[in-house]
Amino acid sequence: MKLTGKSIIGFREGAAGSEDFHATNPKTGERLPQDFFSASPQEIDTAVNLAHEAFAIYSRISGREKAVFLRAIATNIEAIANEIIELAEAETALPKARLQGEVGRTCGQLRLFAQVVEEGSWTTPRIDRADPDRKPAPKPDIRSMLRSLGPVVVFGASNFPLAFSVAGGDTASALAAGNPVIFKAHPAHPGTSELVGQALRDAVRECNLPKGVFSLLFDRGNEVGTALLKHPLVKAAAFTGSRLAGKILMGIAAGRPEPIPFYAEMSSVNPVFILPEALRHHAETIASGLHISFTLGAGQFCTKPGMVFLPEGEDASSFLTQLQKSVGGSSPFHLLTGAIQSSYRSGLVARKAKKSLRLLAENQHSDPGQSVGAALFETDAHSLLKDPELAEEIFGPATLLVRHSDRNELLEAARSLEGHLTATIHGTEQDLDDFSDLIAILERKVGRLVLNGFPTGVEVSHAMVHGGPYPATSDGRSTSVGSQAIFRFARPVCYQGFPNAALPEELKDDNPSNVWRMVDGEMTREPISRTQK
Amino acid sequence: MKLTGKSIIGFREGAAGSEDFHATNPKTGERLPQDFFSASPQEIDTAVNLAHEAFAIYSRISGREKAVFLRAIATNIEAIANEIIELAEAETALPKARLQGEVGRTCGQLRLFAQVVEEGSWTTPRIDRADPDRKPAPKPDIRSMLRSLGPVVVFGASNFPLAFSVAGGDTASALAAGNPVIFKAHPAHPGTSELVGQALRDAVRECNLPKGVFSLLFDRGNEVGTALLKHPLVKAAAFTGSRLAGKILMGIAAGRPEPIPFYAEMSSVNPVFILPEALRHHAETIASGLHISFTLGAGQFCTKPGMVFLPEGEDASSFLTQLQKSVGGSSPFHLLTGAIQSSYRSGLVARKAKKSLRLLAENQHSDPGQSVGAALFETDAHSLLKDPELAEEIFGPATLLVRHSDRNELLEAARSLEGHLTATIHGTEQDLDDFSDLIAILERKVGRLVLNGFPTGVEVSHAMVHGGPYPATSDGRSTSVGSQAIFRFARPVCYQGFPNAALPEELKDDNPSNVWRMVDGEMTREPISRTQK
């Protein structure tokens, strides 16, 4: 594959505009050679119109055909995996092993959605059969299932240049549900984006799908994304990024003449609760796991544990000793972009200036230009309740220990939490009995509760929920990871009094696609007769 | 039951405030005797705080317990049905038979949701079992299911004083999902609201549920509703009413410091398409059914067919003759409120003044003070496309015929439609073959497609979708009628690494509630072992 630096608009290249930009190698600070060009307003409009045209066809192809397409994307990505990984390493400073894992995760995601749409029950078909003899009025035949929404805009995330970028979870789930995607590439890894975009575009072509099923637009700032979100033919959008940007985009989506579903996964501090018995018996294991978790990917995961509650007193000493040692001795980290670097650095400066915080450990290193060190702070629950700033996310390898003097203080702190993606509890059986009310409080605050584990490492599976109440996401009823992510890009449509011939396959009497359906209130895969028994 | 005119705040009566109001008999214009009192800001706050407290308990009771509660509400309503119907007739001018039907529908809805939550599979449990041997990292045990949101505000609708009011579909589905409800009564039928509210409150008490599970607040204007929607402890809201009010409330819900899900069912013209063969062969049946449908409930249904597309030419003549005759000869209608009356009258005046419209028939009657007549207008597709005002809803017994000269004009008109609750097609098998692209267009515009029937008469069933893209509703991914309405008030929560004892019943290994679950991607009701086979 050859980089062009130009947007991919259906099967065409965008023109080279005047606004160009470059990726930077975060390890060296060097500018990478390839020129990239922001999409023009005309190109944005063309991409959306192509998507709108493609929707008429793409929304009606079968699950089997969509599965072939999703698998073709995975195959095409794997064919150029080495090239992608090499460029992604230069653009993101993420280590090769991590990027290899991310290629695997991305292709695994595509294949999971292929499996889901091939099987077809995700469309949630429901059939209430007619009863012509019902009094006072005959009961009509009523059937419903999920249908796709229309063109979906996906914003690439900086921290997952593959799994939450061009062919990542948002794109995969939107395509799986039957929606064309217009992808706004993240300017920090444009080359990686283009390579994956070419692989995706080629899959569209190989599967004889309409060209508008996928476009990729470059933008060095935020004008392209804003224009896409405002476009009247766009019917939904997904975003992963900062709370600031997410909130601005939420306002745009809600303020359109036709408001549209907008799924932003914005920010989360992912509180961890270490309960007394667990601290007493497993201090070192927890400390070691916590250190790995909050520094994984240089602390640039949305599920990084950024706040750790533990009791005051002697039992914490071996935990603290080990954690301080690990943090002090850790290697320097390279962050994804210059902006993230300076924001991390200023975050540390601000925390160090807080009287209510103590710096317990910091990794000092000799390369202050391009790398940063891990940091460990401590405060108490009382200070946290008084100063909500302490609960804000610092994107990077830092975390905050919050000591509490008793059970009530802990529960009060838990009740004061805003919405997060995850909450983690370390506890023995005894602890869980003693703190069952803590679980009840946290259930209302997060999308995922983790017991005796760590929140990083989000499984891509059927039961995963990577979501959570605002402000963790814009819509706490959804997940952006796992097969349930597909439900974000569909809505139910009901067919009353339709003959078999005019119904979608999933709703036909004889159930040719063998999907699970709710028939007169009961789950079944059996074919049905037209009227009730 | 005795009317007090005071809000119901948990188990207490609201105080009699200074702001009082009265219901009016729409048939006579007479003011009804009972004084009603708007809730005070303090009472609003108390009701929401009680709901918040109740949530901790109510969100965790079993589906069986919720079913007992929902059935108790139905029983209590039926016990005072005659009293309710008598008062509702005076407050709404709806005929007794309709109100009797609406009591049945309301209680049927409550029992449908009782059945759904008793069975329990609506919680959509999913289990991905652990695989400790997976490389490179062990796979954790991950389970998820739907949980309730928190206190829900429901706004009563004027046009269904029972089925979309105090114990109507929104309340029933919010309670079924496990959320306390704070109900804002519609000022047009406050007495009916209070009677049903007392029945509901008594059910809360009989079932030993916390008092905050239900409150009912009166308001003569819109201050109480606005304050409720802004209250930080409120987590979702549902509304049925005008587009104007719906859009204002949407803005409030989206503009909160913590935006919340807001389900507004706002306005819909419910286009009907009469295709050529159907017109040729079934003109009289369709004309008669259409007349019944658009004048049913005095044309005050959200699914009233307000726009009817039919071809120009001779084939329409018997259809037109019969429809004109039916409209001209119909009885006068009493509308629900003075405001609806004057809005209907001014709507007719505005339409009569339009050069592009022809008045084909109007019922003239002798009681212009309190009643109105049905009206039938005609225009052509070209004029409709030029003047979108013609496509706006007139709430009351009027409809608009839109003649088109050919297939392309019809498809263009269909493409230009905004979101509606329903679209109806009258067509023979031949018509459906000839117009399959019309069905494809309409699928994207509405929540429900009706074939050879009429959109009024919304079945309360499992497959029903009473929703549709904006501006028909604020959230086209939802339905406000039928058992799928419960999904509006829930969100998925995921449990990772939890032992059986700490999991909700629906997720325990042995599946004690015998619900359908997705286990490792397969639907089953079988108990499971902890690890994969």
Side-chain angles (χ1 to χ4, degrees):
Chain A
M1 294 282 183
K2 194 179 143 294
L3 288 185
T4 69
K6 296 174 192 165
S7 296
I8 298 170
I9 297 157
F11 294 155
R12 299 202 159 191
E13 272 178 18
S18 53
E19 266 216 309
D20 65 325
F21 65 101
H22 296 258
T24 302
N25 183 324
K27 260 190 191 148
T28 62
E30 279 169 344
R31 175 178 142 149
L32 295 172
Q34 178 68 48
D35 281 335
F36 291 90
F37 302 93
S38 296
S40 68
Q42 180 56 53
E43 289 171 345
I44 294 167
D45 193 53
T46 304
V48 177
N49 274 289
L50 286 179
H52 175 73
E53 282 165 31
F55 179 62
I57 293 163
Y58 186 65
S59 64
R60 299 176 79 82
I61 71 171
S62 70
R64 291 175 299 281
E65 290 168 281
K66 285 189 289 188
V68 169
F69 171 48
L70 293 168
R71 289 184 184 119
I73 301 171
T75 306
N76 289 356
I77 290 172
E78 282 164 345
I80 54 166
N82 290 340
E83 207 177 328
I84 291 171
I85 290 167
E86 197 173 327
L87 188 50
E89 195 189 10
E91 288 185 332
T92 66
L94 293 170
K96 269 216 167 71
R98 147 74 191 270
L99 291 166
Q100 262 150 0
E102 216 182 305
V103 168
R105 183 189 179 91
T106 305
C107 296
Q109 264 175 179
L110 288 160
R111 293 192 175 107
L112 175 68
F113 283 111
Q115 194 186 312
V116 166
V117 296
E118 191 168 53
E119 195 278 329
S121 302
W122 77 275
T123 54
T124 325
R126 289 180 167 215
I127 299 175
D128 297 322
R129 286 184 289 178
D131 179 1
D133 302 325
R134 194 186 62 175
K135 304 289 172 219
K139 186 178 166 204
D141 181 286
I142 295 177
R143 308 184 183 208
S144 68
M145 63 177 284
L146 295 176
R147 306 302 303 245
S148 50
L149 299 177
V152 171
V153 168
V154 177
F155 292 81
S158 65
N159 63 340
F160 278 92
L162 299 159
F164 272 87
S165 192
V166 183
D170 288 333
T171 299
S173 53
L175 289 175
N179 308 278
V181 166
I182 306 117
F183 188 85
K184 207 289 280 176
H186 197 287
H189 54 264
T192 310
S193 299
E194 189 181 349
L195 289 179
V196 178
Q198 289 170 354
L200 212 162
R201 177 205 58 204
D202 291 350
V204 175
R205 202 181 256 140
E206 288 153 24
C207 296
N208 292 312
L209 294 173
K211 55 184 178 294
V213 165
F214 175 75
S215 287
L216 177 147
L217 303 182
F218 285 117
D219 188 15
R220 71 169 175 189
N222 49 31
E223 285 166 33
V224 174
T226 305
L228 282 171
L229 194 53
K230 286 183 174 170
H231 199 291
L233 293 176
V234 166
K235 297 301 177 192
F239 164 89
T240 304
S242 73
R243 190 187 295 191
L244 181 66
K247 284 171 79 164
I248 291 169
L249 295 172
M250 277 180 78
I252 292 173
R256 288 166 46 113
E258 180 196 354
I260 53 172
F262 176 67
Y263 302 97
E265 196 252 88
M266 297 189 281
S267 63
S268 179
V269 179
N270 305 296
V272 174
F273 296 83
I274 306 176
L275 300 183
E277 287 264 314
L279 185 64
R280 196 167 305 133
H281 300 299
H282 309 295
E284 295 186 14
T285 330
I286 301 172
S288 141
L290 179 67
H291 176 249
I292 292 171
S293 184
F294 91 81
T295 59
L296 201 70
Q300 299 167 116
F301 286 128
C302 19
T303 51
K304 181 199 82 173
M307 192 190 288
V308 182
F309 292 89
L310 73 166
E312 280 170 4
E314 270 311 292
D315 285 340
S317 63
S318 71
F319 174 84
L320 290 173
T321 310
Q322 169 154 354
L323 200 54
Q324 282 173 300
K325 203 172 123 196
S326 306
V327 170
S330 59
S331 306
F333 296 96
H334 290 95
L335 297 181
L336 289 158
T337 68
I340 292 174
Q341 256 180 53
S342 49
S343 151
Y344 179 71
R345 288 206 178 99
S346 60
L348 294 195
V349 169
R351 292 223 161 167
K352 286 173 188 169
K354 289 256 181 200
K355 291 239 168 63
S356 54
L357 290 188
R358 281 203 311 142
L359 179 68
L360 290 189
E362 186 177 18
N363 168 254
Q364 300 292 347
H365 53 87
S366 56
D367 178 21
Q370 305 301 333
S371 67
V372 299
L376 178 68
F377 292 90
E378 188 189 50
T379 188
D380 55 79
H382 183 69
S383 303
L384 181 74
L385 286 165
K386 274 202 336 206
D387 182 1
E389 259 186 33
L390 299 183
E392 284 174 12
E393 185 178 22
I394 289 196
F395 201 67
T399 197
L400 172 65
L401 305 181
V402 183
R403 311 292 297 269
H404 56 87
S405 55
D406 61 27
R407 195 175 177 285
N408 285 338
E409 207 178 57
L410 180 67
L411 295 180
E412 198 188 339
R415 275 190 211 99
S416 77
L417 289 171
E418 55 182 20
H420 292 280
L421 294 171
T422 71
T424 299
I425 297 172
H426 283 273
T428 62
E429 222 169 282
Q430 182 62 51
D431 283 327
L432 294 188
D433 270 2
D434 295 347
F435 286 84
S436 65
D437 38 4
L438 176 66
I439 297 182
I441 293 166
L442 296 177
E443 264 177 349
R444 304 188 220 163
K445 302 283 186 180
V446 305
R448 177 165 57 111
L449 285 159
V450 180
L451 194 62
N452 296 324
F454 293 93
T456 46
V458 183
E459 285 295 319
V460 180
S461 69
H462 299 291
M464 176 48 64
V465 178
H466 187 69
Y470 183 91
T473 76
S474 58
D475 187 338
R477 294 160 296 175
S478 64
T479 174
S480 63
V481 176
S483 63
Q484 299 185 85
I486 196 171
F487 297 121
R488 296 177 298 168
F489 302 112
R491 66 181 184 90
V493 176
C494 180
Y495 304 83
Q496 180 170 326
F498 270 55
N500 228 12
L503 283 166
E505 198 178 275
E506 292 86 345
L507 294 177
K508 287 186 197 292
D509 293 352
D510 57 346
N511 194 12
S513 38
N514 193 32
V515 290
W516 282 100
R517 314 193 284 190
M518 183 186 277
V519 177
D520 300 331
E522 301 282 341
M523 294 303 292
T524 176
R525 286 204 285 205
E526 294 297 312
I528 56 161
S529 61
R530 264 271 136 169
T531 46
Q532 284 175 11
K533 287 152 281 187
Chain B
M1 294 281 182
K2 195 178 143 294
L3 288 185
T4 69
K6 297 173 192 166
S7 296
I8 297 171
I9 297 158
F11 294 156
R12 297 201 161 190
E13 272 178 19
S18 54
E19 268 216 308
D20 65 324
F21 65 100
H22 296 258
T24 301
N25 183 324
K27 260 191 192 151
T28 61
E30 278 169 343
R31 174 179 143 151
L32 295 173
Q34 178 69 47
D35 282 335
F36 290 90
F37 302 94
S38 297
S40 69
Q42 179 57 50
E43 288 170 347
I44 294 168
D45 192 54
T46 304
V48 177
N49 274 288
L50 286 179
H52 175 73
E53 282 165 33
F55 179 62
I57 294 163
Y58 187 65
S59 65
R60 298 175 80 81
I61 71 171
S62 70
R64 292 177 298 282
E65 289 168 282
K66 284 190 288 189
V68 169
F69 171 47
L70 293 168
R71 289 185 184 121
I73 301 171
T75 305
N76 288 356
I77 291 172
E78 282 164 347
I80 55 166
N82 291 340
E83 206 177 328
I84 292 172
I85 290 166
E86 196 172 327
L87 188 51
E89 195 190 9
E91 288 185 332
T92 65
L94 292 171
K96 269 217 167 69
R98 147 75 191 272
L99 291 165
Q100 261 150 1
E102 216 181 306
V103 168
R105 183 189 179 91
T106 306
C107 296
Q109 264 175 180
L110 288 160
R111 292 193 175 106
L112 176 68
F113 283 111
Q115 194 186 311
V116 167
V117 296
E118 192 168 53
E119 195 278 330
S121 301
W122 77 273
T123 53
T124 323
R126 291 181 165 214
I127 299 176
D128 297 323
R129 286 183 291 179
D131 178 2
D133 301 326
R134 192 185 63 174
K135 304 290 172 214
K139 185 176 167 209
D141 180 285
I142 295 177
R143 310 186 182 207
S144 68
M145 63 177 283
L146 295 175
R147 306 303 303 247
S148 51
L149 298 178
V152 171
V153 167
V154 176
F155 292 81
S158 65
N159 63 341
F160 278 92
L162 298 160
F164 272 87
S165 191
V166 183
D170 288 334
T171 300
S173 53
L175 289 175
N179 307 279
V181 167
I182 306 117
F183 188 84
K184 206 289 279 177
H186 197 286
H189 54 265
T192 310
S193 298
E194 188 180 348
L195 289 179
V196 177
Q198 289 171 354
L200 212 163
R201 176 206 57 204
D202 290 351
V204 176
R205 202 182 255 142
E206 287 153 25
C207 296
N208 293 312
L209 294 173
K211 54 183 178 293
V213 165
F214 176 75
S215 288
L216 177 147
L217 303 183
F218 286 116
D219 188 15
R220 71 169 177 190
N222 49 30
E223 286 166 32
V224 172
T226 305
L228 282 171
L229 194 54
K230 287 184 174 170
H231 198 292
L233 293 176
V234 166
K235 297 300 176 193
F239 164 89
T240 304
S242 72
R243 191 187 294 191
L244 181 67
K247 284 171 81 164
I248 291 170
L249 295 172
M250 277 179 79
I252 292 173
R256 289 165 46 112
E258 179 195 354
I260 53 172
F262 175 66
Y263 302 98
E265 196 251 88
M266 296 188 283
S267 63
S268 180
V269 179
N270 305 297
V272 175
F273 297 82
I274 306 176
L275 300 183
E277 288 265 314
L279 184 64
R280 194 167 306 131
H281 299 300
H282 308 295
E284 295 187 15
T285 328
I286 301 172
S288 141
L290 179 66
H291 176 248
I292 292 171
S293 184
F294 89 80
T295 59
L296 201 69
Q300 299 167 116
F301 286 127
C302 18
T303 52
K304 182 200 81 174
M307 192 190 287
V308 182
F309 293 89
L310 73 166
E312 279 169 6
E314 270 311 293
D315 283 339
S317 63
S318 71
F319 174 84
L320 291 174
T321 309
Q322 169 152 356
L323 200 53
Q324 281 173 302
K325 204 173 121 198
S326 305
V327 170
S330 59
S331 307
F333 296 95
H334 290 96
L335 298 181
L336 288 158
T337 67
I340 293 174
Q341 258 181 50
S342 49
S343 151
Y344 179 71
R345 289 207 177 99
S346 60
L348 293 196
V349 169
R351 291 225 161 164
K352 286 173 188 169
K354 289 254 181 204
K355 289 240 168 60
S356 54
L357 290 189
R358 282 204 309 141
L359 179 68
L360 289 190
E362 185 177 18
N363 168 253
Q364 299 293 346
H365 54 85
S366 56
D367 177 22
Q370 306 302 331
S371 67
V372 299
L376 178 68
F377 292 91
E378 189 190 48
T379 189
D380 55 80
H382 183 69
S383 303
L384 181 75
L385 286 166
K386 275 203 334 207
D387 182 1
E389 259 186 32
L390 299 182
E392 284 174 13
E393 184 179 21
I394 290 196
F395 201 68
T399 197
L400 172 66
L401 305 181
V402 184
R403 311 292 299 266
H404 56 86
S405 54
D406 61 26
R407 195 174 177 288
N408 285 339
E409 208 178 56
L410 180 67
L411 295 180
E412 199 189 340
R415 275 190 211 97
S416 77
L417 289 171
E418 54 182 21
H420 292 279
L421 294 171
T422 71
T424 299
I425 296 172
H426 283 272
T428 62
E429 223 169 283
Q430 184 60 51
D431 283 327
L432 294 189
D433 269 2
D434 295 347
F435 286 85
S436 64
D437 38 4
L438 176 65
I439 297 183
I441 293 167
L442 295 177
E443 264 177 348
R444 303 189 219 161
K445 302 283 188 180
V446 305
R448 178 165 56 111
L449 286 159
V450 181
L451 194 63
N452 295 325
F454 293 92
T456 47
V458 183
E459 284 294 319
V460 180
S461 69
H462 298 291
M464 175 50 63
V465 178
H466 186 69
Y470 184 90
T473 75
S474 57
D475 186 339
R477 293 161 296 174
S478 64
T479 174
S480 64
V481 176
S483 62
Q484 298 184 87
I486 197 170
F487 297 121
R488 297 178 296 168
F489 302 112
R491 68 181 183 89
V493 176
C494 179
Y495 304 83
Q496 179 170 329
F498 270 55
N500 229 10
L503 283 166
E505 199 179 273
E506 292 86 346
L507 295 176
K508 288 185 195 295
D509 293 352
D510 57 346
N511 194 12
S513 39
N514 193 33
V515 289
W516 283 100
R517 314 193 286 189
M518 182 186 278
V519 176
D520 299 331
E522 300 283 342
M523 293 303 291
T524 175
R525 287 204 286 204
E526 294 298 310
I528 57 162
S529 61
R530 264 271 136 170
T531 46
Q532 284 174 10
K533 285 153 281 189

